[in-house]
Amino acid sequence: MRLSHVIAALDELYPPSWAESWDAVGLVCGDPDQEVGRVLLAVDPVAAVVDEALEWGADLVVCHHPLLLRGVHSVAATTPKGRLIHRMIANGVALHTAHTNADVAGPGVSDALARAVGLTGELRPIVPAADDPRRGLGRIGELDGPVTLREFARRAAVGLPSTTWGLRAAGDPDRAVRTVAVCGGAGDSLLDTVRAAGVDVYLTADLRHHPASEFAEHGGPALVDAAHWATEWPWLADAARRLTAAVPEAGKLETRVSTIVTDAWSLHAEGEQ
């Protein structure tokens, strides 16, 4: 199967036109005419993921985060990103990015996150897309029944991959929660929208001190802050399944989800109490 066929399927699932104007999505390196038999999916295009791709014999790496988000004038091997590009090209491994276009897809990153933390039934976007209310940023859904914030945080921690960051919650641990909003990746830009949506708890990543503190002072939903990587990793398996179903002669394509934890934080320490 040619790389061009796989990229066409990915672009059908996650159209580049859905990406934010500042984003950089699509094929980063690779010959559209090269043959592809194995596809590795990962959140981050980092050296450890490329090591795994080469060890497994992948022909294509599909990553959520862009390698070259900002414009560059050189990919010399004297820089980490340049070395990564050189290694991939030298070994015939292509790289493709699906970032904010996968965030707003339906199903997309936040759908997979919602299922991972226990939401069932119908999901709706926090911010619907202008041209299709079925897709957009974030998701809102329901748990099977009300649980305490403490129990919801515990279940979410079990449903998401383990990281040094873990999960943090803001709010009364014993408050009842059932209606849940989630957003994969950094989601504090949606805090005001979530408050207006009338949900019980909002789970996302990268919540900063001041916005979270001010949000809590106004009352409203509890907050759960997870590791950025962990909130986006569940999407990889969904993307792999959808890609396999979408490509012609799917039996000729093998996919693998990387389980390497590429979250930026690798150590957690606590002082004596």
Side-chain angles (χ1 to χ4, degrees):
M1 186 180 302
R2 291 185 180 180
L3 174 61
S4 59
H5 297 152
V6 181
I7 298 304
L10 286 166
D11 285 349
E12 182 71 21
L13 294 170
Y14 312 107
S17 61
W18 291 352
E20 296 289 338
S21 59
W22 49 262
D23 204 3
V25 302
L27 187 62
V28 179
C29 67
D31 182 348
D33 288 329
Q34 74 184 70
E35 294 295 315
V36 172
R38 287 184 166 182
V39 180
L40 178 69
L41 294 94
V43 174
D44 297 297
V46 294
V49 169
V50 175
D51 289 342
E52 180 180 6
L54 297 181
E55 181 179 350
W56 183 53
D59 307 296
L60 169 64
V61 177
V62 175
C63 279
H64 183 51
H65 291 148
L67 175 66
L68 305 172
L69 181 58
R70 297 173 179 82
V72 299
H73 57 78
S74 171
V75 289
T78 53
T79 66
K81 292 186 177 183
R83 286 193 294 275
L84 190 147
I85 288 285
H86 277 259
R87 288 183 67 202
M88 298 189 80
I89 292 176
N91 288 278
V93 181
L95 175 64
H96 179 88
T97 298
H99 190 212
T100 53
N101 48 329
D103 286 334
V104 300
V109 171
S110 290
D111 295 271
L113 172 60
R115 300 309 186 199
V117 300
L119 275 64
T120 59
E122 183 178 355
L123 301 173
R124 66 185 189 277
I126 297 173
V127 181
D131 61 341
D132 186 351
R134 295 170 298 180
R135 63 177 190 84
L137 282 175
R139 291 295 182 270
I140 297 173
E142 303 281 334
L143 301 170
D144 283 336
V147 298
T148 63
L149 174 60
R150 179 186 290 105
E151 175 61 15
F152 172 73
R154 187 196 68 79
R155 292 183 186 182
V158 171
L160 295 176
S162 178
T163 63
T164 298
W165 184 265
L167 264 73
R168 307 182 296 181
D172 180 354
D174 293 319
R175 72 172 289 175
V177 299
R178 182 166 187 175
T179 304
V180 180
V182 303
C183 181
D188 63 2
S189 65
L190 301 181
L191 284 172
D192 289 339
T193 306
V194 166
R195 182 189 294 116
V199 303
D200 300 314
V201 61
Y202 177 41
L203 184 151
T204 188
D206 296 344
L207 289 176
R208 294 170 295 160
H209 172 80
H210 291 296
S213 178
E214 292 170 4
F215 183 87
E217 287 296 307
H218 284 283
L223 295 175
V224 176
D225 181 51
H228 190 119
W229 171 86
T231 64
E232 296 174 328
W233 184 85
W235 168 73
L236 301 177
D238 182 65
R241 287 190 296 268
R242 299 188 74 207
L243 174 61
T244 301
V247 295
E249 301 178 284
K252 295 185 178 180
L253 192 67
E254 186 178 356
T255 61
R256 175 174 174 175
V257 171
S258 176
T259 57
I260 296 174
V261 178
T262 55
D263 192 62
W265 308 106
S266 59
L267 178 65
H268 177 84
E270 294 184 3
E272 294 183 3
Q273 300 298 317

